[in-house]
Amino acid sequence: GAGVSQSPRYKVAKRGQDVALRCDPISGHVSLFWYQQALGQGPEFLTYFQNEAQLDKSGLPSDRFFAERPEGSVSTLKIQRTQQEDSAVYLCASSLERTGELFFGEGSRLTVL
Amino acid sequence: AQSVSQHNHHVILSEAASLELGCNYSYGGTVNLFWYVQYPGQHLQLLLKYFSGDPLVKGIKGFEAEFIKSKFSFNLRKPSVQWSDTAEYFCAVSPLNSGTYKYIFGTGTRLKVLA
């Protein structure tokens, strides 16, 4: 596709449920980032992939958060045993190179009840 | 820790007024600098970027920003705003050679332009 595609756009989960958020980056983009954006805040870094290698996961808030990009294209962010504080918009961005322009998806808005 | 500060959280202007949004960062090394914009209901998109060279950079829709290394600042400007500039603006920094891969974003400035 022409841009970064994320699904689902909206997800409502009960506390304790597991969720999976998908990101389909722009074809050929080596770098893929996940960010978390809470209401009224800027995007906060979660994790970074270069192709299939997860080179930085320093921003993942707990071991309930897990991300993968097994074939170097589509990525999935999984949150286990969701908590209310996980409610946020999860943004995926891809880039041709590590420090270039980021192309963002529209985000997945997660609401945990 | 590396951080980005945007001093104005909410700005309200009338059409044709001039705009300046402040952005300061904390990192002593080389950086790439960005301003992203998010129009209502849309995704974040690049407004302009600075990698090297002329510290005054021009972006889309008449926006420009000036990198002042001594002040660790990258302020965004537009001489005359339009109603369609109503959006949220984010400053972002990519620290180079820092051992980190993250882009660091400010908390954003919500701009409302009154017609």
Side-chain angles (χ1 to χ4, degrees):
Chain A
V4 178
S5 178
Q6 291 188 246
S7 62
R9 290 288 314 282
Y10 302 92
K11 176 69 178 178
V12 178
K14 291 184 180 178
R15 191 162 58 93
Q17 281 185 329
D18 297 348
V19 300
L21 308 176
R22 175 189 167 105
C23 173
D24 199 342
I26 293 173
S27 178
H29 278 195
V30 168
S31 294
L32 186 146
F33 299 79
W34 283 99
Y35 279 82
Q36 181 190 58
Q37 186 174 18
L39 194 62
Q41 300 297 315
E44 294 280 346
F45 172 80
L46 293 177
T47 187
Y48 167 71
F49 289 87
Q50 184 172 300
N51 294 308
E52 69 280 2
Q54 189 175 21
L55 298 186
D56 189 343
K57 53 182 181 179
S58 63
L60 296 177
S62 77
D63 59 7
R64 297 186 295 102
F65 286 72
F66 172 76
E68 60 184 5
R69 193 186 185 196
E71 297 177 0
S73 55
V74 171
S75 177
T76 303
L77 176 67
K78 297 179 180 177
I79 309 173
Q80 297 177 322
R81 304 181 305 280
T82 52
Q83 304 294 314
Q84 281 191 321
E85 62 263 27
D86 299 335
S87 295
V89 176
Y90 290 86
L91 298 169
C92 177
S94 69
S95 177
L96 268 174
E97 53 190 355
R98 184 173 73 75
T99 57
E101 175 186 353
L102 295 180
F103 292 83
F104 282 88
E106 294 188 345
S108 292
R109 182 180 295 277
L110 172 65
T111 302
V112 182
L113 303 177
Chain B
Q2 299 143 357
S3 65
V4 174
S5 297
Q6 290 184 242
H7 317 298
N8 317 98
H9 297 293
H10 292 89
V11 173
I12 302 175
L13 294 172
S14 298
E15 273 194 316
S18 64
L19 170 72
E20 180 160 3
L21 302 182
C23 173
N24 286 87
Y25 64 94
S26 63
Y27 178 66
T30 305
V31 295
N32 287 345
L33 296 157
F34 306 83
W35 276 96
Y36 284 86
V37 61
Q38 188 167 25
Y39 297 104
Q42 296 187 26
H43 62 277
L44 277 161
Q45 56 190 283
L46 183 72
L47 200 55
L48 48 77
K49 62 188 178 188
Y50 172 80
F51 287 179
S52 64
D54 188 345
L56 183 62
V57 293
K58 295 189 184 300
I60 59 172
K61 302 185 180 184
F63 285 91
E64 64 179 32
E66 184 175 13
F67 171 48
I68 303 179
K69 189 174 181 180
S70 61
K71 295 185 177 180
F72 299 92
S73 71
F74 190 55
N75 292 354
L76 180 71
R77 299 194 293 251
K78 185 171 184 179
S80 176
V81 295
Q82 300 174 311
W83 178 80
S84 58
D85 294 325
T86 294
E88 190 158 18
Y89 294 81
F90 293 92
C91 180
V93 171
S94 174
L96 305 181
N97 305 315
S98 65
T100 180
Y101 297 91
K102 64 178 72 171
Y103 290 62
I104 303 160
F105 285 79
T107 52
T109 297
R110 282 188 185 273
L111 171 65
K112 185 177 176 73
V113 180
L114 304 175

